[in-house]
Structures are given as structure tokens and as C-alpha cells.
Amino acid sequence: MTVNSSHQLWIYDTTLRDGTQREGLSVSLEDKLRIARKLDELGIPFIEGGWPGANPKDVQLFWQLQEQPLTQAQIVAFCSTRRPLQKASSEPMLQAILASGTLWVTIFGKSWDLHVTEGLKTSLAENLEMIRDTIEYLRSQGRRVIYDAEHWFDGYKHNADYALQTLKTAIDAGAEWLVLCDTNGGTLPHEVSQIVTDVIESCPQDVQLGIHTHNDSDTAIANALAGVMAGVKMVQGTINGYGERCGNANLCSLIPNLQLKLGYKCIADNKLSNLTEASRFVSEVVNLAPDEHAPFVGRSAFAHKGGIHVSAVQKNPLTYEHIEPETVGNSRRIVISEQAGVSNVLAKASGFGIELDKNHSATREILQLLKQLESEGYQFEAAEASFELLMREALQTRPSFFQVKGFQIHCDLGKGLETTKALATVKVAVKNQDIWEAAEGNGPVAALDAALRKALVKFYPQIDTFKLTDYKVRILNGHTGTSATTRAMVELGNGQQRWTTIGVSNNILEASYQAVVEGLEYGLIKHCQVDSPLKVFE
Amino acid sequence: MTVNSSHQLWIYDTTLRDGTQREGLSVSLEDKLRIARKLDELGIPFIEGGWPGANPKDVQLFWQLQEQPLTQAQIVAFCSTRRPLQKASSEPMLQAILASGTLWVTIFGKSWDLHVTEGLKTSLAENLEMIRDTIEYLRSQGRRVIYDAEHWFDGYKHNADYALQTLKTAIDAGAEWLVLCDTNGGTLPHEVSQIVTDVIESCPQDVQLGIHTHNDSDTAIANALAGVMAGVKMVQGTINGYGERCGNANLCSLIPNLQLKLGYKCIADNKLSNLTEASRFVSEVVNLAPDEHAPFVGRSAFAHKGGIHVSAVQKNPLTYEHIEPETVGNSRRIVISEQAGVSNVLAKASGFGIELDKNHSATREILQLLKQLESEGYQFEAAEASFELLMREALQTRPSFFQVKGFQIHCDLGKGLETTKALATVKVAVKNQDIWEAAEGNGPVAALDAALRKALVKFYPQIDTFKLTDYKVRILNGHTGTSATTRAMVELGNGQQRWTTIGVSNNILEASYQAVVEGLEYGLIKHCQVDSPLKVFE
């Protein structure tokens, strides 16, 4: 990977490492893999997977990605320089890095003298030695190195001379990229411009610089842009700006600014229109409400109210929109007169391999149903199986495998009880028979799932191969307390495929029940298609 | 009001007008008055109250403020220029402005030729006439005028010559301030710098310029800063960045950047420390959850995790904080998390007013319990009330108000049922009595909460003042399906304070139950401390 054109920029995503530092965000290994594959699909060239030396769980991620590699992205392992007065070759953290098997490694080191003497409690010379030794060791093991200069801007302001020495040490040791980090997020854009210009003047001509910014001054995007305009070629950030404290530079804002407004090339133009979907996918996976007011990708980003305004925007969108929403996969939304969206439905259908005609009555019906359900709290971005069922319903191609006629949940809990099992009873109509079954589970949803399977397995033995692989609950309008609307999402898998379904209700049990039932139903449809490739749609 | 010093800036708040354009935000007259008084208290010099011509309810606000004026701020009425081919003196909108009785009026007019010809469907000359006539008329009625040049930056890019004519017309007609508006929010900081510089060169020397930015490019703050650094003297924005689409420039970020980093004077230094409180007050009044990750004023803005990091920040805050949190009325927060060390526990305890000795056996006990609970899925970062209960437990200062001896949940659901209520029965021991109660709710947790309150309110009437304000559920190891561990968080409030508690279990109902019970218990502790300042801890 080398920089071919002066207008090429390299996007480096750190959602899986720095992004997970956000307070309240936690991800499983499975979540991380799903996000990594989504970023790969989007065409992000560098994806930082984690810090295997500090977080043993991250090792698994790299192993899984060795077995099933990404298609185009480089997955990057992250680590600090070795500890003071050790040898890089005997540093356990670095052994964990090598074991993760990535070609690219990002090493962060100290740029700010104060952090060396007060934080690491070592000498300025030893810090340089730590940088040199660590990078040289990784190079000797065939790794390519990105060097993150932590606290770069603060360090440079306090002791420019020493800060520049750390960069030169990293270059001499073989780092291919030097990334200037505003770790505390306190730098303003005009300072970034000045300091990046200074660095470019002080470094050899062929050095490739990057920038990593945080949003503590509410200028993370502008700081990154200032860096690029001063000459850096790599930009680090996270999807949705997730990150410690006030977050990192938001790639969902950075990429369109760079690509649409400044003419840089970051990802393929035809991928840019997947940005909104990627943003919502990631927020669903990490189970955080998407920011509706987020620039470019938020639900309100191109929302228009009021009469004149609306007719003006329809006549000439340029008058009230800074970009065309479709270029980033978002859409204009007319807040009062709810219209537009047929193209959305057509696009979604085509994503499922279903070619819909925009004049087909079912198309309008789906659209109407979709709008109604989304206003109730359904969200189909990450629950495509439920959306497919909805479309099949409208097209009258939804097979009927079973019908749940009722269920009851009973739970007896309280202090002093060791285990608190729940009991579910269900009544299901299958192939003209009414079946009653009961089962116990750790929680009410597990009990319900168990009772349903018990009722259905006699008729559909393949149901035994379906496993519940994920279950997520989100309270929507949280501030109304425990009677708020609840959205449940369930993921099932059969070993080859996975699918996600959704349920929404005031009652958390009802919402979960809807999702579980649709998940089993969708699995049966897929199974039938595999057994006899039934062409359901024209 | 004249500009005395080159370092004085005038902050102009438009929360009550542009801020209320945010989708999902609505305010009553009473809300608007409360916000206006809070802004006045904070020392904001200009407060835009509304657009009485377009929104008749806004008239009331101005009348109320005539009766009980603000202490230092100018309340400003907002209006467009008169309609084409009318007379300003007979324009009803302008009569409404005069009736609102403010000294200052903001008039917005078109800068962009396209909007004149396509939007207003009038001639470029008539638009200039509309600006002139409107401002001259208001001046003749003794008003002082701020002129908002709508779509300034887009207009200037398309037809600089015409855009400048509109400004000159406004100056000649008697406007005292010219505010350059990035109405569509698409402008980037380097363009703002360039265009503001051009304007300053083209206008008479004594013209006072302002800037009004939107966040569609995620650079609203940087754009405003670029304007100031190029010479504007007024900055318009809203509290918490509320506004249409992606919002306006956030004054909670702008003011500290301008005042603490760039040395401008916006509000009195001793008022700056009220900024965090003002931000939260406004979000409470408009009933939107505060953005915890907001720069400067967010709850997470100065949150620190991890042992080394915490001890470093305590030794020298400069190493990990871009400003001192207290200067904006925020505070450093040591996040209680897996990586916690003794120093975290001590810092946290002291935050609750509990002085712990690091050699006290309880300290180690708390630390051990904390680690064990966190490995089970508890997360105290956002559930400080539960953490305080845990500390009280270890210190044997946790009062006993009631004991839940058992509860049952029963739910009867299924297709065809309109509403699916849940029934809860509880057995609670209070003051040596065993109480049985039952209640219904939309979901099982609402039912449980209702039953518990029913049982307790006879003994603790203050429980009626506690409201469930938020309820969150997260499935932890989601990939094990519906028998995964569930974490429930509940927030309660009593009007003055809010507190959050947590419960974890394999059973979602059990987890929610734990959180609800601890929430009620914590509320009772707080209530007792207020009634009789019981010194619980030494």
C-alpha cells in the first residue's frame, strides 16, 4: 500500500479499539466480527481490531479473522511501545501482537516529555529507545508499522524539539506511517494547521503522516480536516464518533466532507451510499440508540418542515441541502406531509434479491406498513429477516408453518431463591392440530423459546438446528419509565446463515415473543428454500 | 452597547427560536420563560425570544418579559423582511414585532440570488428594497436592528457581488450588526475564514459582524471559531446545540473554547462555572435526555477509566484533561469499572462524601466485591446509587427500610389480544409486618413497580414523589441466546435529584426487580438524609 495520488486518503477505523472506550459501550467477540466485516464491505482500508496485549479477549478476534480473512481491509493490531528497561523481544505484549498474525501493527508511544518523566517514570532517552526497539523488533518479524504519536499536539506545544525526536526515531526504526494524535482533544483547528505544517517541514519528504483527533473541544472533524489540508494522508476515526469521553472523529462525517466537499478519495464512490446503513448497523450491534441529529447519516439530517421550505427543496434541493442525501445513503424527509420513500423500499427489496415494480400496489402497501411500523419503533436496518417477512406478507408469498394462538408466562422470584426459573405455556396450531406445550427457562424468553420448539420440532425436525445466537433489548422512549416501548431483536443461526428479527411492544415479553416467533418462521422458510429451491418471487 | 475591547465578543442565544426547530423538541410558554431567565442569569447579552409574526404564541413571551424584565440581557424579537411589493409600515408581521416591545429586533433577509428569484419569486432589486424598507421602518420606530444575512455563505459563493449589495443595503438602512448565516450548514472552516476576510475588506471599517452556523458538516463550532478569528464580534448559537436537522452551534462548546482557549471575553468568568448546570437545566426543561458525551458539559466529558490513567490524572490533571472541569462547572469522574484499583474506589467514595482509608479492611472488601460483581455483568459506571449501596453494605451503614420476600409475575399473551397486561404480586416485610399486594402494568416491570409502591407507600409516603424516569436493558453475552445474562438499569428521580441503580441476572425479570428495589431503597436513604441530616459515615 503506497500513496499513488495526492488526492488519495487512507481511512483508519478504530471503532473496535478506541470506539469501545466509550462509557456504556460494550461489545462481544461476535459483535466485533460483525462490525469488522461491515467496515470491510464499506471499503475502509485499515481496521484496528484491538489491543491483544491488554485485552486477552481481543486475541480471539484476530484468530477468527485469520481463519476467515476480510476481503480487502488490513486488520491492524494495536499495542504500546515496550516497557522501560525491558527488551522488545521478550515483552509479552509484543508476543501477543505477533501471535495475532496481522501484517500491520500500530504502536503508540509518548511524544510529551511530561508523560515520559511523570507517567512512565523514565528518562527521555529511554523513551526514544523504547520506540526504536519496539518498531525495529516488529520490522524484524516482518511486520509493517504505523506509529501513533500519543499526545502529539500537547507534547509539541510543550517541547517541540523532543516531540520531533520521537517521530524521527520512529521513522529511522522503520515505521511507515506517523500518526499525530490529539489524545486529550484540546487542540483547535488553527493549531493543528500550524503544527502539521511544522512537522512536514521538519520531516523527510517521503514521510507519510496521519491524524487522530478527539472531540473534547467539539472540533474533532475540523481538526482532522485541518490536518488533511495541511498534508496528512491518513485519517483515524470511528463510526458514529464513538470513543472515550466526548468521542473520536466521526468517520460518518469525515468521509463525506473529505470526499464530497474537498475532492479527496477515501472509499469507492459507489460505497459512499452505504454509509448511512453502516452507521445504523453499528449502532444496532453495539445497542446504542442512533443519534438522529448526526450530520449526514442521522434520521433528521435532511428533514424539512414547513410549506415554502418544502416546496423550495423539492423544486431545487440545492436551496436547502448542503449535499444530496442519497450520496451518503440517507434520504430527504418531509416532516409534515409524510411522503417519499418508494425508492427506499425498492432499494431494500432489491437488496433481498426481490425485484419490485414501483407501480405494483404491493410496493405502496409495503411502504405504508413500513412507515407505520417505523413510527411505532420498528427498525429494519438490522432486522432484515423481519423486513423480508413483511414484504412476503404484502406479496402474499409468506408461507404459513404454524400459528401461535396464545402463551402464558409465569415467574416466581424473590430473595432467597437460588435460581429463578420462568415457566411458559404455549398453544400453537400446526398442520391443523392444536398443540399445548410447557417448558421452563432461565428467563421468560428462554422458557417461551423452549416451549415453542417443543411444540414445533415434531413437525419440523430441522428446527433443532436453529440456535438463538443473539438477543438484544432496547427501551425506546426510556424517560417514560418501565412502561416505555420496548424493541427486542433476536438473531438465530443454522450453522451456515444467521438472520435477525424484531418485535416491538409496550410489554417486553410481547416484543421478545414476536421476534422469537418470526425468527423460527424465517428459519423454516430458508430451510425450505435450501431443500427445494422454491422461487418465491418473480 | 458598543464593543469596547477587541477581545469582547457578544453571544447571541437563539435556543428559544432556532433551537425549538429541532425535531422532537417542543416547549411551552412557561418553559421558554424559565430558559430565558436562566440564560439571563448566565450573562448571555442577547436572547432571541421568538418570531411573533409567524408564531402568535411567542407574543405572550414578550409581554410577560415586559412585565417582569430580564436583569441584564436584551430580549430580541425575530422577523423576516417585509413581503415583496408591500410597505413595511403596513406589514402585519412588523406590527407584531413592534407590539412585542423589544428594543432590539433581528431581521433576516435573502443574500442568495437564487432564493430571491426562485423562492421569493421577486426581482433582485426588490429584495434590496425589502431589506432597506424593513430596517428603515424599524429604525424610525426607535428599534435597534441586527440583520441576519440568510444563506450568506452559499449566496456569496454563487454571486458575491449581489450578496455584498444586500449587506451594504442593510448597513445604509441602519442595521447595527450584520450576521453571516450558514443556513444550510454546508460550509467548511477554511471557506468561512476566507469569506469573512473578504467581507471585512469590502465593508466600512466600523461595521460589526456576527456569525450563525449550523452543524450539518459537523463543523458548526469550528466555523464559528473561524469567523471570530477572522474578525466577527457576535456569535449566535443555542444551548446544547439544539436546532433544525443537525442543530446549531452549541454555545456550551463555543463559550469555553472562546473564553478559555482563545482569550475572548463572552460571559463573566464567575458565570462560566454555571455552564454545565445551565446545559442540564435546559435539557430538563425541554425534556430531552442530556448528551452524556457532550464536550465540556457532558457527564462523560471528564470521565477517566483505568488504574495508571487515574493515578496520573490525580497527580497532574493537565496530563489527561484539556481544561480544568471545574471552570465550566463540570467535574472529573473516576469511572468504576473492571480495571478499577484501590485509588478508584477511594476517589469514588470521596465523591459520595465518604472518607475511606486505603488500609481499612472494608476498602479491600469493596474492591473485591466490585470486581466479582463486574465479572458477573454489573457495571457501576452509570449506576452510582447501587455502588453507594454496595459501599454502605460493606461499611455496615446500609439502613433497612423493607425486605422483598417474594414476587410473582403472570402474563397472558398471544395473537389476537389487544392489550397484554402483566400482573405482579409481591410479598414485602416492612416494619415487622408482612404485606401482600398485587398490581397490573403494561409490562412485567411496570406491574412489579406498581405492586411494590402499593405495598410501601403506607409506610413511606415520600415514595409517591419518586418517579421512574428511565429504564434500560442490555443483554450481555448475547450470543448465548435468550438465556444470556441481562443487565437492567433503572433511573428514578424526586424532582431535585436523579439516581440510577442496576440489577443483573439470567432472568430479565429478576434483573429488573433488583434495580427497581434498589432504586426505591436509595430514594428513601436520600430522603432521610434530607429530613434529618443523619451522619451515616464517619
Side-chain angles (χ1 to χ4, degrees):
Chain A
M1 275 189 185
T2 52
V3 176
N4 298 317
S5 137
S6 64
H7 283 282
Q8 176 75 53
L9 289 179
W10 303 96
I11 301 292
Y12 181 109
D13 177 278
T14 178
T15 308
L16 300 178
R17 206 264 312 159
D18 230 9
T20 61
Q21 294 294 305
R22 177 183 164 114
E23 212 183 336
L25 188 153
S26 63
V27 280
S28 66
L29 172 60
E30 193 52 46
D31 293 337
K32 281 190 146 194
L33 283 165
R34 289 180 74 194
I35 292 171
R37 297 203 191 283
K38 180 61 74 177
L39 294 167
D40 185 30
E41 225 175 79
L42 192 63
I44 303 291
F46 289 104
I47 301 171
E48 192 171 85
W51 184 352
N55 188 357
K57 275 195 289 184
D58 282 347
V59 177
Q60 298 287 331
L61 175 84
F62 292 103
W63 289 352
Q64 296 244 14
L65 288 174
Q66 278 177 43
E67 279 171 36
Q68 289 190 289
L70 299 174
T71 62
Q72 58 78 32
Q74 292 291 338
I75 184 86
V76 186
F78 178 88
C79 195
S80 75
T81 52
R82 69 154 168 80
R83 289 166 297 170
L85 310 172
Q86 307 291 313
K87 280 193 156 181
S89 56
S90 56
E91 175 64 79
M93 286 191 306
L94 294 172
Q95 295 310 310
I97 289 294
L98 293 175
S100 61
T102 65
L103 174 61
W104 286 90
V105 177
T106 295
I107 290 297
F108 77 93
K110 301 288 184 195
S111 323
W112 189 353
D113 54 4
L114 185 75
H115 271 270
V116 176
T117 53
E118 291 204 12
L120 293 177
K121 302 246 173 259
T122 195
S123 69
L124 297 182
E126 173 60 9
N127 180 52
L128 296 179
E129 191 49 27
M130 287 155 62
I131 296 169
R132 190 197 56 72
D133 185 20
T134 306
I135 296 174
E136 281 183 355
Y137 174 65
L138 290 169
R139 297 291 292 133
S140 77
Q141 302 297 307
R143 299 306 191 269
R144 302 180 70 171
V145 176
I146 296 163
Y147 177 70
D148 271 12
E150 198 192 14
H151 290 293
W152 170 260
F153 294 93
D154 295 309
Y156 186 86
K157 285 190 226 169
H158 281 81
N159 184 344
D161 215 45
Y162 181 71
L164 286 169
Q165 280 181 56
T166 64
L167 289 192
K168 285 177 184 151
T169 304
I171 300 167
D172 293 344
E176 290 178 62
W177 287 95
L178 305 179
V179 181
L180 310 178
C181 302
D182 186 28
T183 309
N184 293 358
T187 308
L188 294 181
H190 67 285
E191 299 173 307
V192 171
S193 301
Q194 186 57 57
I195 294 174
V196 171
T197 303
D198 289 358
V199 172
I200 289 175
E201 282 171 10
S202 310
C203 283
Q205 267 210 322
D206 58 348
V207 161
Q208 299 184 132
L209 293 179
I211 191 160
H212 172 114
T213 60
H214 281 263
N215 205 36
D216 298 73
S217 305
D218 220 346
T219 57
I221 298 298
N223 286 358
L225 295 179
V228 168
M229 294 183 76
V232 312
K233 296 288 177 198
M234 174 188 278
V235 185
Q236 298 193 347
T238 64
I239 297 291
N240 300 328
Y242 296 143
E244 204 170 1
R245 304 185 310 273
C246 311
N248 289 54
N250 186 348
L251 291 179
C252 299
S253 297
L254 257 176
I255 294 173
N257 271 327
L258 290 167
Q259 197 144 329
L260 298 174
K261 300 193 172 181
L262 296 176
Y264 290 96
K265 188 165 160 31
C266 304
I267 60 176
D269 282 330
N270 66 345
K271 295 290 185 183
L272 190 59
S273 59
N274 297 337
L275 196 65
T276 298
E277 193 259 336
S279 157
R280 293 176 191 175
F281 176 90
V282 172
S283 70
E284 282 301 324
V285 170
V286 304
N287 202 20
L288 290 173
D291 178 359
E292 309 236 311
H293 304 278
F296 299 98
V297 299
R299 193 167 171 275
S300 295
F302 301 94
H304 301 280
K305 286 186 191 176
I308 302 171
H309 195 131
V310 168
S311 66
V313 86
Q314 282 173 332
K315 259 184 285 176
N316 186 350
L318 175 71
T319 56
Y320 282 100
E321 284 172 356
H322 68 127
I323 63 158
E324 287 175 37
E326 293 73 20
T327 53
V328 293
N330 207 340
S331 51
R332 177 175 314 135
R333 212 154 53 77
I334 307 303
V335 176
I336 297 167
S337 63
E338 283 280 319
Q339 57 154 289
V342 172
S343 58
N344 251 17
V345 171
L346 296 179
K348 271 188 192 169
S350 115
F352 296 132
I354 304 171
E355 290 311 318
L356 274 183
D357 186 322
K358 74 174 170 187
N359 299 316
H360 195 300
S361 66
T363 307
R364 298 246 154 229
E365 197 184 311
I366 291 168
L367 183 63
Q368 205 165 0
L369 194 57
L370 184 69
K371 292 204 168 197
Q372 185 204 319
L373 291 173
E374 292 203 331
S375 75
E376 288 171 18
Y378 282 82
Q379 220 247 356
F380 293 98
E381 302 285 343
E384 300 193 332
S386 283
F387 187 66
E388 188 177 330
L389 290 176
L390 180 152
M391 288 209 293
R392 284 172 177 270
E393 182 84 32
L395 294 165
Q396 300 179 315
T397 58
R398 181 172 179 171
S400 172
F401 294 99
F402 61 91
Q403 199 199 346
V404 180
K405 290 191 154 178
F407 73 91
Q408 298 190 308
I409 299 279
H410 190 80
C411 238
D412 196 344
L413 309 106
K415 269 191 176 155
L417 297 175
E418 264 294 294
T419 52
T420 49
K421 294 266 182 184
L423 174 73
T425 55
V426 288
K427 183 182 179 188
V428 191
V430 205
K431 299 185 177 170
N432 300 320
Q433 289 180 49
D434 275 354
I435 314 284
W436 281 96
E437 281 292 354
E440 220 181 31
N442 274 334
V445 183
L448 170 66
D449 179 56
L452 261 177
R453 284 158 184 271
K454 240 172 112 183
L456 295 173
V457 72
K458 302 157 201 163
F459 300 91
Y460 306 109
Q462 62 270 36
I463 224 163
D464 255 354
T465 67
F466 305 166
K467 284 210 179 111
L468 261 161
T469 49
D470 204 358
Y471 172 51
K472 289 197 165 105
V473 172
R474 160 97 47 83
I475 309 300
L476 298 178
N477 38 358
H479 53 279
T480 60
T482 51
S483 61
T485 303
T486 301
R487 178 201 293 157
M489 286 199 176
V490 158
E491 188 192 68
L492 282 98
N494 60 7
Q496 295 100 49
Q497 288 171 288
R498 287 171 180 233
W499 57 93
T500 305
T501 50
I502 185 170
V504 172
S505 167
N506 285 340
N507 187 329
I508 196 168
L509 299 181
E510 171 80 23
S512 308
Y513 144 82
Q514 291 170 6
V516 167
V517 167
E518 289 208 344
L520 294 175
E521 182 188 346
Y522 187 84
L524 291 172
I525 292 179
K526 288 290 122 177
H527 189 89
C528 293
Q529 282 181 321
V530 170
D531 282 356
S532 56
L534 189 82
K535 200 167 162 87
V536 183
F537 301 108
E538 295 313 309
Chain B
M1 274 189 186
T2 52
V3 176
N4 298 317
S5 136
S6 64
H7 284 283
Q8 176 75 52
L9 290 180
W10 303 95
I11 301 293
Y12 181 109
D13 177 277
T14 177
T15 307
L16 300 179
R17 205 263 314 159
D18 230 7
T20 61
Q21 293 294 306
R22 178 182 163 117
E23 214 184 332
L25 187 153
S26 63
V27 281
S28 65
L29 172 63
E30 193 49 47
D31 294 337
K32 280 190 148 193
L33 283 165
R34 289 179 72 196
I35 293 172
R37 298 206 190 281
K38 178 61 75 174
L39 293 167
D40 184 32
E41 221 176 81
L42 192 63
I44 304 290
F46 289 104
I47 301 171
E48 191 172 85
W51 184 352
N55 189 358
K57 273 197 295 182
D58 283 348
V59 177
Q60 297 288 329
L61 176 84
F62 292 103
W63 289 352
Q64 295 247 11
L65 288 174
Q66 279 179 42
E67 279 171 35
Q68 288 190 290
L70 298 174
T71 62
Q72 58 79 31
Q74 291 293 337
I75 185 85
V76 186
F78 178 87
C79 195
S80 73
T81 51
R82 67 152 169 80
R83 287 167 297 167
L85 309 172
Q86 307 290 315
K87 280 193 156 185
S89 56
S90 57
E91 173 66 79
M93 286 191 306
L94 293 173
Q95 296 310 311
I97 289 294
L98 294 176
S100 60
T102 64
L103 174 61
W104 285 88
V105 177
T106 294
I107 290 296
F108 77 94
K110 301 289 185 196
S111 325
W112 188 352
D113 54 3
L114 185 75
H115 272 270
V116 176
T117 54
E118 292 204 10
L120 292 178
K121 301 247 176 258
T122 195
S123 69
L124 297 182
E126 172 62 10
N127 181 51
L128 296 179
E129 191 49 27
M130 288 154 64
I131 296 169
R132 189 197 56 73
D133 184 23
T134 308
I135 296 173
E136 281 182 356
Y137 175 64
L138 290 169
R139 296 291 292 134
S140 77
Q141 303 297 309
R143 299 305 191 268
R144 301 181 70 172
V145 177
I146 295 164
Y147 177 70
D148 272 12
E150 200 194 13
H151 290 293
W152 170 261
F153 294 94
D154 295 308
Y156 185 86
K157 285 191 226 168
H158 281 80
N159 185 345
D161 216 45
Y162 181 71
L164 287 169
Q165 282 181 55
T166 65
L167 289 193
K168 282 175 187 154
T169 304
I171 299 167
D172 293 343
E176 292 180 61
W177 286 96
L178 304 179
V179 181
L180 310 177
C181 302
D182 186 28
T183 309
N184 293 357
T187 308
L188 295 181
H190 67 285
E191 300 172 306
V192 171
S193 302
Q194 185 58 57
I195 294 174
V196 172
T197 303
D198 289 357
V199 173
I200 289 176
E201 282 171 10
S202 310
C203 284
Q205 266 209 324
D206 58 347
V207 162
Q208 298 185 134
L209 294 178
I211 190 161
H212 172 112
T213 61
H214 280 264
N215 204 35
D216 299 74
S217 305
D218 220 347
T219 58
I221 297 300
N223 287 357
L225 296 178
V228 169
M229 294 181 76
V232 313
K233 296 287 178 201
M234 173 187 280
V235 186
Q236 298 193 349
T238 63
I239 296 292
N240 300 328
Y242 296 142
E244 204 171 1
R245 304 186 310 273
C246 311
N248 288 52
N250 186 348
L251 292 179
C252 300
S253 297
L254 259 177
I255 295 173
N257 272 327
L258 290 167
Q259 197 144 331
L260 297 173
K261 298 192 172 184
L262 296 176
Y264 290 96
K265 187 161 159 37
C266 305
I267 59 177
D269 283 331
N270 65 345
K271 295 290 185 182
L272 191 59
S273 59
N274 297 338
L275 196 64
T276 298
E277 194 257 335
S279 157
R280 293 178 190 173
F281 174 89
V282 172
S283 69
E284 283 299 321
V285 171
V286 302
N287 200 22
L288 290 173
D291 178 2
E292 310 235 311
H293 304 277
F296 298 99
V297 299
R299 192 167 173 276
S300 294
F302 301 94
H304 301 280
K305 282 187 191 177
I308 300 170
H309 197 132
V310 168
S311 64
V313 85
Q314 283 173 331
K315 259 183 285 178
N316 186 349
L318 174 70
T319 56
Y320 284 98
E321 284 171 357
H322 68 126
I323 62 155
E324 286 174 40
E326 292 73 19
T327 52
V328 292
N330 206 340
S331 53
R332 179 173 311 138
R333 209 156 53 80
I334 306 302
V335 174
I336 292 299
S337 76
E338 272 178 279
Q339 299 108 322
V342 172
S343 61
N344 282 33
V345 171
L346 296 179
K348 195 82 220 173
S350 117
F352 294 133
I354 303 168
E355 291 310 320
L356 274 183
D357 187 320
K358 76 174 167 184
N359 299 317
H360 195 299
S361 66
T363 308
R364 298 253 153 222
E365 197 186 309
I366 290 168
L367 188 61
Q368 206 165 359
L369 192 57
L370 183 68
K371 294 210 166 197
Q372 186 207 318
L373 290 173
E374 292 209 329
S375 75
E376 288 171 20
Y378 282 81
Q379 210 213 4
F380 293 98
E381 297 183 351
E384 298 189 337
S386 283
F387 187 67
E388 187 177 332
L389 291 177
L390 180 152
M391 288 208 294
R392 284 171 177 270
E393 181 81 35
L395 295 164
Q396 300 178 316
T397 58
R398 180 174 180 169
S400 174
F401 293 99
F402 62 92
Q403 199 197 347
V404 180
K405 289 191 156 178
F407 74 91
Q408 298 189 306
I409 299 280
H410 189 79
C411 237
D412 196 344
L413 308 110
K415 275 192 172 155
L417 296 175
E418 265 293 294
T419 52
T420 48
K421 294 264 182 186
L423 174 74
T425 55
V426 288
K427 183 182 179 187
V428 191
V430 206
K431 298 185 178 170
N432 300 322
Q433 290 180 49
D434 276 352
I435 314 285
W436 282 96
E437 281 292 354
E440 219 180 31
N442 272 335
V445 182
L448 170 66
D449 178 55
L452 261 177
R453 283 160 185 270
K454 240 173 112 182
L456 296 174
V457 73
K458 302 158 204 167
F459 300 91
Y460 306 108
Q462 62 269 39
I463 224 163
D464 256 353
T465 67
F466 306 167
K467 282 211 181 113
L468 261 162
T469 49
D470 204 357
Y471 172 52
K472 288 199 173 97
V473 171
R474 169 111 175 117
I475 310 299
L476 298 178
N477 37 357
H479 52 282
T480 61
T482 50
S483 60
T485 303
T486 302
R487 178 202 294 155
M489 286 199 177
V490 159
E491 189 194 67
L492 282 98
N494 60 6
Q496 294 101 50
Q497 287 172 290
R498 288 175 177 223
W499 57 93
T500 304
T501 50
I502 185 170
V504 172
S505 167
N506 285 340
N507 188 329
I508 196 168
L509 299 180
E510 170 79 25
S512 306
Y513 145 81
Q514 290 171 9
V516 169
V517 168
E518 288 207 345
L520 294 175
E521 181 186 347
Y522 187 83
L524 291 172
I525 291 179
K526 289 290 120 176
H527 189 90
C528 293
Q529 281 181 324
V530 170
D531 282 355
S532 55
L534 187 81
K535 200 169 159 89
V536 183
F537 302 106
E538 294 312 309

